[in-house]
Amino acid sequence: MAILGEWVDLLSGPTSIEDLTLWGRVSDRLMQALAGQSQLRRLELKWGPYTDLAPIGQMADLEELVLGGASAVTDLRPLARLSQLKVLDVENGRRVLDYSPLGGIPSLRRLAVGPSISGSRTDAESVEFLRTLPDLDAVCWDPRVRSLDYSPFLTLTNASMIALRGQKGMTPSLADLEWALPGMQAHAAEVADEQWVLHSHDGSVAVLDTDITGRRAFREPTEQERETILTTPFATKTDEWEDELRGAISGTTIRTLGSTARTRTEKFWVRVESPERADQHPLPLHREHIVGKFAFVGSAEGPLLIWDSPIASEDDPTSIHAFFTGNVDAATSRPEPEAVDDDDYYDYEDCVSLSPARALVRVEGTLRERVVLVDLERASPGGTWSAIVAAFTQFGGEIVAGPELGPNTIPHLPTVEPVFWIRRRSNEPEGSYLSRYGASPQH
């Protein structure tokens, strides 16, 4: 609530912000604070549950508006006052039935109305409002139209792109609309050009394509396509891979703590400091506490020890194990990869792909927490788990808990990214939680 109050205080007064994206939860309280930001030219809301759009209606200079997570919105009338609005995107507007207020925005050039967040379709009473917007250049329309009358789309003959999802019983039909509207023809041609080749583990190949009805469907590749597919590797060397780190590197791992009412999340952020990288930037720690740092050095190809720290002693060793293995995001096992012919499918020498793992290790009677980055892509078939264990033991000691794998792989060493995180459900106070590692919060 303190963070929300700070944002409300900031936005309630005058600012010079012209482009604002609110990534967090936007309540009506925060929405009301936006009323004073009449100078905004672009506003993007990622999540609700805001209900009242009246404050947005006061933004006379607004040119682009993204209403993400608009599940609680029922009335679009305030938007009719936005005389400069050119781009409007409404996402998850499942309670909006009346889109007629949009007809009062003649400046509108691009309109997108998408499905609900679950992918299910929303509804609209009608699309008559389109008749007053002949200058629309791009339209993406997903809702079902209850009147079944889609004829207002026929007025959009000048639109360069129209993506329309039809419904049973609609008039005119989807085919008739496509015949009449160049924008729908352009979109259909663009979709038709998109194809995806899918390789199965048994060696079979299929193509995901668009059939004559405009639906996505799998098909067998033609002989010419099959010849091309079989002579093209899954991945080819790119300029980005050329820039990947090689050889000796060093840097710092910073452990941070973030908390909510029910969870505690620790993250390990890697910052490569040598060799110096052109795209280096500060750690994006936001509201998180810094609870520890560790300097690492090693080979970019791994295994790379990025965290090694003693754990504060406890009277009951089982509590350490229970606490250590409580990561709700980590995987404790992973299916072994199918054996593949490296020469035919993937040039591993051109790409470093590291996986993060964490274990509790005993070294000369002391329990230590370790996090390593290890290249599991080069592990022999059936030897993935052995490769993880070897990555820990090569730095000394014996594993007494774990290893647990992080939920992601790292295609290249990042400038600053959380390479491993530990999220636990916990009702413990933050201070008690930190004391398990003998750490104290630092900002």
Side-chain angles (χ1 to χ4, degrees), residues 55-115:
I56 296 178
Q58 301 178 40
M59 300 175 186
D61 295 330
L62 200 64
E63 297 178 356
E64 182 175 346
L65 175 61
V66 178
L67 296 176
S71 59
V73 174
T74 59
D75 188 0
L76 298 181
R77 283 179 296 177
L79 303 186
R81 297 196 291 269
L82 302 177
S83 60
Q84 303 300 314
L85 192 66
K86 295 180 174 62
V87 179
L88 175 62
D89 188 344
V90 181
E91 302 171 2
N92 197 26
R94 52 192 176 91
R95 288 188 173 89
V96 178
L97 292 175
D98 182 12
Y99 285 86
S100 63
L102 304 186
I105 315 176
S107 59
L108 205 58
R109 296 295 179 268
R110 302 179 68 87
L111 172 65
V113 182

Side-chain angles (χ1 to χ4, degrees), residues 11-222:
L11 297 174
S12 295
T15 73
S16 59
I17 301 172
E18 293 188 350
D19 187 334
L20 177 62
T21 299
L22 295 177
W23 289 87
R25 181 177 181 271
V26 179
S27 63
D28 278 333
R29 180 187 173 194
L30 184 56
M31 179 69 88
Q32 290 299 322
L34 290 171
Q37 303 302 310
S38 59
Q39 80 291 342
L40 283 176
R41 293 184 179 275
R42 181 183 182 277
L43 174 63
E44 180 174 357
L45 310 180
K46 301 299 285 189
W47 303 104
Y50 56 90
T51 62
D52 186 8
L53 301 181
I56 296 178
Q58 301 178 40
M59 300 175 186
D61 295 330
L62 200 64
E63 297 178 356
E64 182 175 346
L65 175 61
V66 178
L67 296 176
S71 59
V73 174
T74 59
D75 188 0
L76 298 181
R77 283 179 296 177
L79 303 186
R81 297 196 291 269
L82 302 177
S83 60
Q84 303 300 314
L85 192 66
K86 295 180 174 62
V87 179
L88 175 62
D89 188 344
V90 181
E91 302 171 2
N92 197 26
R94 52 192 176 91
R95 288 188 173 89
V96 178
L97 292 175
D98 182 12
Y99 285 86
S100 63
L102 304 186
I105 315 176
S107 59
L108 205 58
R109 296 295 179 268
R110 302 179 68 87
L111 172 65
V113 182
S116 70
I117 195 171
S118 66
S120 59
R121 300 185 71 178
T122 57
D123 292 281
E125 292 289 354
S126 79
V127 288
E128 281 295 318
F129 70 94
L130 292 174
R131 298 187 187 277
T132 60
L133 301 175
D135 294 328
L136 274 174
D137 182 62
V139 180
C140 294
W141 182 267
D142 186 86
R144 291 179 295 251
V145 179
R146 290 185 174 180
S147 67
L148 296 177
D149 181 11
Y150 283 73
S151 62
F153 277 96
L154 292 172
T155 63
L156 304 180
T157 55
N158 295 323
S160 63
M161 194 282 293
I162 302 175
L164 173 61
R165 189 174 176 186
Q167 68 182 103
K168 185 176 181 180
M170 64 183 289
T171 56
S173 67
L174 205 59
D176 289 340
L177 287 173
E178 183 175 330
W179 179 85
L181 296 172
M184 286 190 65
Q185 296 165 20
H187 176 68
E190 180 181 343
V191 172
D193 288 339
E194 296 177 349
Q195 296 180 348
W196 288 269
V197 177
L198 291 95
H199 298 257
S200 176
H201 65 86
D202 61 3
S204 59
V205 178
V207 176
L208 182 60
D209 205 347
T210 306
D211 64 19
I212 195 171
T213 67
R215 295 178 179 176
R216 287 292 185 190
F218 288 104
R219 63 171 176 81
E220 289 289 326
T222 64

Side-chain angles (χ1 to χ4, degrees), residues 15 54 124 313 321 373 381 389 423:
T15 73
S313 61
H321 288 243
L373 299 179
V389 172
R423 183 170 63 94

Side-chain angles (χ1 to χ4, degrees), residues 38 44 110 113 124 161 209 246 298 302 339 352-353 394 409 415 426:
S38 59
E44 180 174 357
R110 302 179 68 87
V113 182
M161 194 282 293
D209 205 347
R246 299 292 182 193
V352 174
S353 182
Q394 83 168 54
T409 57
T415 54
S426 172

